[in-house]
């Protein structure tokens, strides 16, 4: 009888230890997930920052072909008047870059070997003549090369930014005047 009680007590202790270990592993959440490093990786922020610099440089150089080359093939096909939209933002951009600061949000979908990353970037661009809001959505898709590049872009004066929010079609959004 004493041996049975000791065995029951031993099993109870083992059960408590196993439960405690399982609980501790559950606290780690997705930290063991192989793709969780993007949470701590600022490389997408750096890519968005570089893209912002490239857009501003193309605007300052009035280089419409450089801006168009940043767009994905899908966006070029879906946008109604991309060439006119590019000319519009080039004409309305004034000054030389003094500084820019922004935020990004990212979405990453992984399915086996397929990976699609969407970066939404929102920058305040300050020139010597004006303050602008530059927003763009850039996609990288390992399964569909036509999606790689900017899908949506808008550039507004800081004072006009409310007219732009909520427009996410392909190309460059220009509010109706």
């Amino acid at each position: 009888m004493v041996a049975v009680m000791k065995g029951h007590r031993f099993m109870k202790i083992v059960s408590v230890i196993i439960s405690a270990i399982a609980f501790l592993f559950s606290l780690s959440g997705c930290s063991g997930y192989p793709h969780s490093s993007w949470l701590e990786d600022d490389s997408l922020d750096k890519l968005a920052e570089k893209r912002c610099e490239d857009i501003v440089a193309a605007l300052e150089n009035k280089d419409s072909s450089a801006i168009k080359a940043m767009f994905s093939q899908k966006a070029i096909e879906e946008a109604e008047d991309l060439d006119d939209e590019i000319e519009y933002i080039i004409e309305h951009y004034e000054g030389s870059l003094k500084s820019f600061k922004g935020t990004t949000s990212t979405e990453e979908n992984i399915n086996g070997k397929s990976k699609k990353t969407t970066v939404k970037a929102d920058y305040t661009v300050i020139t010597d003549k004006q303050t602008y809001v530059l927003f763009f959505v850039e996609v990288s898709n390992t399964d569909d090369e036509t999606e790689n590049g900017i899908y949506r872009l808008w550039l507004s004066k800081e004072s006009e930014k409310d007219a732009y929010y909520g427009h996410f079609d392909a190309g460059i959004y220009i509010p109706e005047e």
Side-chain angles (χ1 to χ4, degrees), residues 26-37:
S26 71
L27 291 177
S28 67
C30 295
S31 66
Y33 186 67
H35 303 289
S36 65
S37 63

Side-chain angles (χ1 to χ4, degrees), residues 10-24:
F10 175 75
M11 290 302 290
K12 198 174 196 179
I13 291 171
V14 169
S15 176
V16 168
I17 291 172
I18 290 173
S19 295
I21 291 171
F23 176 72
L24 290 173

